[in-house]
Amino acid sequence: MKRYGNLYAQIHDIENLRVAYENARRGKTKTKPVIQVDKNPNCYLLKIQQILENECFVNGEYNTFELIERGKRRIIHALPFFPDRIIHHAIVQILGPIWIKSFIRDSYSSIPGRGVHDGVRRIKRIMPNCKGWYALKCDIKKFYPSIDHDTLKAIIQAKIKDPSVLKILHTIIDSEAGVPIGNYLSQYFGNVVLNPFDHWIKEDKGVKYYFRYCDDFVLLHPSKEKLHELRKEITEYLRSLKLTVKENWQVFPIDARGVDFMGYRCFRLMLGGLILWGIDFGQIKHLYAKRQSKDLKKD
């Protein structure tokens, strides 16, 4: 595996910091911290550059609050705009392309160009190949709070060898238990820590159709028994990363139920040459019954 060095100077390069500042302030231009930096951005960016060059970065204090999202209660950790959030963007602008290059194609969430709709399109495209197949659907219990720091650092170090970059990443990682939801870098850390798992599924276990969005993932396979075997192996593998599969995992036939993933339900059923997707399950049952009735009449 190629390891990357000589990255730290790119992170604290003033032009990289300018782009990071613009990206970090996007959508937040009316907030007080951003307005303050906007008064004299060059001054603040030079301060950040000095902090980084002297390797004296200290993680800022988190503003913690609760957010209920899709019925789930989450603790959000927000960092100060200056210098933390600007520095996070500066780091991602250099390390992000390196990490993304190592990700499998069908990992999604917080990856440019690979959002929900891209994932749904990819699933929809392969559904005609999956007649009579089954799906294994799992997610990880309290994923971000459960990420082990030593495990994450080891995975990062397998790719990054610049000691100054590792030092600042370790400072950020050790700033809070687990990986705090709300940090810009946390989105990448989640994908990084599961990247070896993704490759193990695809390459070692030979699963052709595997899709992951954050800590939710689905595997498609013609054998229900094989998926049950894989589920046990997945539980053990994730345990080695100090992560736990939720007990609500499911194995089910995709012809009857479709694949419910990333907020959409995709079906293999073909009607008039079209694959139905994102349609209410009751509608599908009705259409499927009509299709079966027509087939019986033909017989």
Side-chain angles (χ1 to χ4, degrees):
M1 178 187 291
K2 181 179 179 181
R3 298 179 72 218
Y4 292 81
N6 302 315
L7 299 169
Y8 196 63
Q10 297 177 52
I11 291 172
H12 64 66
D13 177 80
I14 195 64
E15 291 307 316
N16 187 55
L17 294 178
R18 288 190 206 284
V19 176
Y21 156 67
E22 291 294 342
N23 288 334
R25 70 190 286 277
R26 190 172 293 141
K28 303 177 179 68
T29 54
K30 294 183 180 179
T31 60
K32 287 183 180 179
V34 176
I35 290 170
Q36 182 61 37
V37 175
D38 283 352
K39 291 176 182 177
N40 192 351
N42 286 337
C43 174
Y44 284 96
L45 293 178
L46 288 171
K47 285 181 182 178
I48 291 175
Q49 188 179 51
Q50 188 175 29
I51 289 168
L52 294 176
E53 286 179 342
N54 293 335
E55 298 191 26
C56 58
F57 170 74
V58 177
N59 205 83
E61 291 188 16
Y62 288 103
N63 173 30
T64 305
F65 58 94
E66 198 174 79
L67 181 69
I68 297 176
E69 185 180 47
R70 296 180 184 176
K72 292 183 179 179
R73 196 179 300 273
R74 301 182 187 278
I75 303 299
I76 306 299
H77 295 73
L79 282 168
F81 176 69
F82 171 86
D84 297 75
R85 289 192 341 232
I86 297 173
I87 287 175
H88 279 220
H89 277 267
I91 292 170
V92 167
Q93 283 163 192
I94 303 304
L95 299 190
I98 294 171
W99 284 331
I100 290 170
K101 197 185 299 183
S102 73
F103 295 161
I104 66 166
R105 175 60 183 87
D106 287 310
S107 62
Y108 302 90
S109 177
S110 307
I111 302 173
R114 294 199 218 167
V116 169
H117 292 98
D118 178 57
V120 170
R121 278 192 297 269
R122 296 271 296 178
I123 293 176
K124 186 174 65 166
R125 192 176 299 137
I126 60 93
M127 290 295 274
N129 304 329
C130 302
K131 182 179 180 180
W133 283 33
Y134 295 84
L136 166 62
K137 187 179 178 186
C138 304
D139 64 358
I140 297 170
K141 186 177 181 181
K142 296 181 179 178
F143 175 53
Y144 284 105
S146 299
I147 292 176
D148 177 70
H149 289 186
D150 289 338
T151 301
L152 175 58
K153 289 175 186 177
I155 293 170
I156 290 172
Q157 198 163 336
K159 199 75 178 169
I160 307 297
K161 64 182 180 181
D162 187 315
S164 299
V165 173
L166 294 173
K167 179 182 176 182
I168 193 169
L169 289 178
H170 290 184
T171 298
I172 293 167
I173 290 167
D174 291 334
S175 66
E176 188 69 18
V179 167
I181 299 171
N183 274 4
Y184 184 52
L185 263 168
S186 296
Q187 303 168 20
Y188 281 84
F189 287 158
N191 281 319
V192 167
V193 81
L194 288 178
N195 192 39
F197 171 70
D198 294 340
H199 284 279
W200 174 76
I201 288 283
K202 294 288 290 181
E203 294 153 20
D204 292 7
K205 307 315 296 180
V207 177
K208 186 176 182 180
Y209 298 137
Y210 161 76
F211 306 87
R212 180 177 62 79
Y213 184 88
C214 193
D215 60 322
D216 295 330
F217 55 91
V218 63
L219 296 74
L220 308 182
H221 199 276
S223 168
K224 178 170 62 174
E225 291 73 21
K226 179 64 176 177
L227 288 177
H228 280 288
E229 289 176 19
L230 282 168
R231 197 272 308 170
K232 293 176 184 176
E233 293 183 70
I234 284 167
T235 298
E236 290 303 313
Y237 188 99
L238 289 175
R239 190 173 289 142
S240 74
L241 298 178
K242 301 186 180 176
L243 298 169
T244 305
V245 176
K246 275 189 185 177
E247 294 179 359
N248 63 349
W249 59 269
Q250 302 172 59
V251 173
F252 53 87
I254 64 174
D255 280 357
R257 182 171 154 181
V259 178
D260 181 10
F261 192 59
M262 296 187 284
Y264 288 85
R265 184 167 289 190
C266 304
F267 294 84
R268 196 201 62 80
L269 176 63
M270 300 287 289
L271 285 176
L274 297 175
I275 305 166
L276 301 177
W277 65 291
I279 298 177
D280 179 76
F281 189 41
Q283 291 177 294
I284 288 295
K285 286 175 70 176
H286 174 68
L287 291 168
Y288 190 62
K290 283 180 68 177
R291 181 62 175 267
Q292 284 186 315
S293 177
K294 285 183 180 179
D295 289 345
L296 285 170
K297 286 178 182 177
K298 287 178 184 178
D299 294 340

